[in-house]
């Protein structure tokens, strides 16, 4: 427990330090604590500390943990982000659980989100488009050269409130060029938010203009 809190403080300190070093055009970087595979009791420690932004990568796991956690902490204004792939048959459930969906990556998903949002008009949701920034075959995300067209269609035709772009750079390569590319794409599309950077590379992501970093291991420790 103490370890998690001291990790958390350390990460926050580094984020502030990186932000302070920059002549920033963008808003200050926010930390998403990625709590996947960690149980409610562990997550509650950070909630008690006052942290509000969390990320999960699986809809069903999030449902099991966060339906309760959100109810038990309803006064705390928690914002839960989906950062993993979304299947179309879980789109409706995802809208019930998550406040922000960062992985809008194909037409089918965008259409489903549009459909269910229409039925849940009371929901104020935010979305990111996931970009396959390394052009990797197996990786999800819209191709970089289709991103502009997809963004326009999602926001103009489907009225999805797209606030930024998200990426996961290729493993085993220096991430900086990919962070730079995603930030440039955000700027071209007039999007403030870039969600990029994880435990191992969030400092570089901030240097290149991340407004959200997603840190799991660095706070909660290794997952099984
Ligand atoms: C798990 C995950 C993270 C956090 O990764 P760590 O290396 O544990 O910080 C960030 N983004 C996505 C999309 C993830 O799935």
């Amino acid at each position: 427990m103490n370890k998690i809190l001291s990790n958390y403080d350390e990460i926050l300190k580094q984020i502030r330090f990186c932000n302070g070093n920059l002549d920033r055009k963008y808003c200050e970087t926010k930390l998403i604590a990625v709590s996947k595979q960690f149980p409610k009791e562990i997550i509650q420690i950070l909630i008690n500390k006052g942290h509000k932004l969390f990320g999960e990568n699986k809809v069903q796991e999030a449902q099991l943990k966060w339906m309760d956690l959100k109810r038990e902490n309803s006064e705390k204004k928690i914002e839960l982000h989906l950062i993993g792939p979304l299947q179309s048959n879980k789109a409706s459930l995802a809208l019930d659980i998550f406040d922000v969906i960062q992985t809008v990556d194909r037409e089918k998903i965008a259409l489903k989100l549009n459909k269910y949002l229409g039925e849940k008009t009371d929901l104020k949701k935010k979305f990111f488009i996931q970009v396959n920034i390394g052009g990797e075959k197996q990786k999800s995300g819209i191709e970089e050269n289709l991103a502009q067209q997809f963004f326009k269609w999602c926001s103009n035709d489907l009225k999805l409130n797209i606030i930024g772009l998200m990426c996961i750079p290729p493993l085993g390569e220096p991430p900086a060029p990919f962070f730079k590319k995603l930030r440039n794409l955000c700027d071209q599309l007039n999007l403030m938010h870039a969600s990029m950077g994880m435990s191992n590379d969030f400092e570089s992501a901030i240097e290149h203009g991340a407004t959200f970093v997603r840190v799991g291991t660095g706070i909660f420790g290794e997952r099984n």
Side-chain angles (χ1 to χ4, degrees):
M1 163 166 176
N2 282 337
K3 184 69 184 151
I4 289 172
L5 287 179
S6 61
N7 288 343
Y8 174 69
D9 283 339
E10 194 52 40
I11 299 272
L12 277 185
K13 212 184 287 171
Q14 284 168 278
I15 290 175
R16 281 203 200 103
F17 179 77
C18 295
N19 273 273
N21 271 348
L22 296 174
D23 180 18
R24 281 187 80 85
K25 287 189 276 185
Y26 313 111
C27 60
E28 203 160 301
T29 313
K30 295 201 179 91
L31 170 63
I32 298 176
V34 177
S35 50
K36 64 188 185 196
Q37 295 181 37
F38 285 93
K40 288 192 323 181
E41 308 75 64
I42 300 285
I43 299 170
Q44 188 67 49
I45 297 169
L46 272 202
I47 296 177
N48 291 345
K49 179 83 180 170
H51 194 71
K52 295 184 193 322
L53 295 188
F54 291 88
E56 291 279 347
N57 68 334
K58 296 209 166 90
V59 177
Q60 247 149 2
E61 179 187 344
Q63 181 187 26
L64 287 173
K65 298 187 319 199
W66 285 95
M67 285 294 191
D68 291 343
L69 279 170
K70 278 190 163 182
R71 184 163 19 79
E72 290 154 10
N73 298 280
S74 56
E75 76 291 2
K76 300 249 171 77
K77 297 213 170 74
I78 283 167
E79 187 175 278
L80 188 62
H81 291 236
L82 176 62
I83 59 169
L86 178 56
Q87 293 166 294
S88 54
N89 62 356
K90 304 234 173 73
S92 177
L93 181 58
L95 286 169
D96 289 334
I97 301 165
F98 291 94
D99 306 286
V100 184
I101 294 178
Q102 293 206 359
T103 49
V104 182
D105 64 349
R106 58 195 191 277
E107 287 183 13
K108 191 173 175 192
I109 279 296
L111 285 168
K112 287 273 171 166
L113 292 170
N114 164 270
K115 172 181 166 202
Y116 292 120
L117 268 182
E119 296 169 4
K120 306 175 197 219
T121 47
D122 55 321
L123 301 179
K124 191 82 196 96
K125 299 290 170 181
K126 293 181 261 187
F127 302 93
F128 284 72
I129 289 171
Q130 181 174 1
V131 181
N132 186 353
I133 204 71
E136 296 170 280
K137 267 214 184 70
Q138 347 67 326
K139 205 162 245 171
S140 30
I142 192 96
E143 273 177 56
E144 193 190 349
N145 62 349
L146 299 177
Q148 173 161 19
Q149 196 186 346
F150 185 63
F151 162 66
K152 288 195 168 146
W153 178 70
C154 286
S155 26
N156 298 339
D157 298 346
L158 302 186
K159 310 293 179 211
L160 296 181
N161 180 22
I162 308 281
I163 64 164
L165 304 179
M166 175 270 208
C167 76
I168 309 170
L171 269 178
E173 290 184 52
F178 299 101
F179 293 152
K180 215 177 275 182
K181 246 207 263 191
L182 192 79
R183 185 65 255 180
N184 283 339
L185 199 48
C186 289
D187 292 351
Q188 272 171 39
L189 305 183
N190 247 325
L191 286 165
M192 167 63 76
H193 292 293
S195 169
M196 54 191 196
M198 323 203 316
S199 295
N200 289 328
D201 54 18
F202 70 90
E203 284 132 320
S204 164
I206 294 172
E207 199 180 309
H208 294 97
T211 59
F212 288 93
V213 291
R214 313 178 303 263
V215 178
T217 317
I219 298 171
F220 296 106
E222 293 290 337
R223 294 176 293 270
N224 291 326

